[in-house]
């Protein structure tokens, strides 16, 4: 199980080394992304969503019971929105017909995450029925064929 989940630090370093794109005038629509960069962006983003979808993993990682893994509610949210730029990815795929279902599902996930009011303690978040609904949406996204295929390609 440990092999499947990279530590947050390793993922961030991996991201810095392998995922490079440029923004011209901060306009995400002008991104210059190679197919390799796109694959890496999707892999990192979908891997994080897969972690978001797994309450058992969160119970272990967020409470320090998973050796070599440092994670928390704040960390996973930062990874999605800051490190892997979830909202920018949604904008990037909005006009791609093959990714319409993914776009819709990710948009709904962002709405739910933005409206979620977290408790001050990760253990309480893990018991929150509203958090369980969010993890279920992440499970639905993780089960999409496009996501499965992206995670399969290393």
């Amino acid at each position: 199980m440990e092999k499947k989940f990279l530590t947050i630090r390793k993922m961030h370093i991996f991201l810095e080394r392998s995922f490079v794109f440029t923004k011209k005038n901060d306009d995400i629509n002008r991104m210059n992304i190679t197919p390799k960069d796109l694959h890496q962006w999707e892999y990192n983003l979908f891997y994080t969503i897969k972690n978001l979808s797994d309450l058992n993993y969160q119970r272990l990682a967020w409470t320090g019971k998973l050796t070599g893994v440092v994670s928390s509610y704040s960390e996973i949210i930062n990874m999605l929105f800051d490190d892997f730029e979830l909202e920018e990815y949604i904008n990037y795929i909005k006009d791609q017909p093959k990714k319409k279902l993914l776009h819709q599902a990710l948009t709904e996930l962002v709405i739910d995450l933005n409206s979620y009011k977290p408790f001050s303690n990760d253990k309480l978040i893990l018991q929150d029925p509203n958090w369980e609904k969010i993890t279920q949406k992440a499970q639905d996204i993780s089960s999409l064929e496009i996501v499965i295929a992206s995670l399969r390609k290393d």
Side-chain angles (χ1 to χ4, degrees):
M1 184 171 173
E2 284 183 42
K3 254 186 165 178
K4 286 185 179 179
F5 301 104
L6 299 173
T7 63
I8 303 306
R9 181 175 300 290
K10 284 182 184 174
M11 285 185 86
H12 189 70
I13 291 168
F14 185 69
L15 171 71
E16 288 175 351
R17 290 182 183 160
S18 62
F19 177 60
V20 179
F21 63 88
T22 58
K23 292 182 186 177
K24 297 177 183 174
N25 301 321
D26 291 330
D27 184 356
I28 201 70
N29 292 322
R30 295 183 186 177
M31 289 172 55
N32 180 17
I33 299 178
T34 67
K36 183 179 177 183
D37 291 340
L38 178 60
H39 169 71
Q40 194 60 56
W41 188 10
E42 289 178 331
Y43 181 87
N44 290 332
L45 185 58
F46 297 159
Y47 190 83
T48 305
I49 290 171
K50 189 168 177 66
N51 288 344
L52 175 64
S53 75
D54 189 343
L55 271 174
N56 290 327
Y57 169 76
Q58 292 169 22
R59 285 186 185 104
L60 293 172
W62 293 10
T63 58
K65 296 177 183 172
L66 196 56
T67 306
V69 175
V70 178
S71 187
S72 66
Y73 166 80
S74 298
E75 189 67 39
I76 204 162
I77 296 303
N78 287 335
M79 287 176 68
L80 286 170
F81 288 98
D82 298 334
D83 295 344
F84 304 133
E85 300 186 1
L86 174 57
E87 291 172 305
E88 287 81 358
Y89 178 76
I90 291 170
N91 189 46
Y92 182 78
I93 67 168
K94 72 181 177 187
D95 296 323
Q96 298 179 27
K98 291 182 180 180
K99 295 183 179 180
K100 184 177 181 176
L101 186 60
L102 176 62
H103 179 268
Q104 180 181 349
L106 290 173
T107 299
E108 290 174 11
L109 179 64
V110 166
I111 290 168
D112 288 352
L113 287 170
N114 284 335
S115 65
Y116 183 69
K117 305 289 184 225
F119 293 95
S120 60
N121 180 309
D122 284 346
K123 289 180 183 179
L124 294 175
I125 293 171
L126 294 169
Q127 298 170 359
D128 184 5
N130 292 322
W131 182 250
E132 289 181 25
K133 290 177 187 175
I134 289 172
T135 60
Q136 181 57 54
K137 281 200 177 173
Q139 286 175 15
D140 294 344
I141 292 167
S142 294
S143 69
L144 293 173
E145 185 54 41
I146 194 166
V147 173
I148 293 168
S150 178
L151 290 173
R152 218 178 287 137
K153 300 174 188 173
D154 290 337

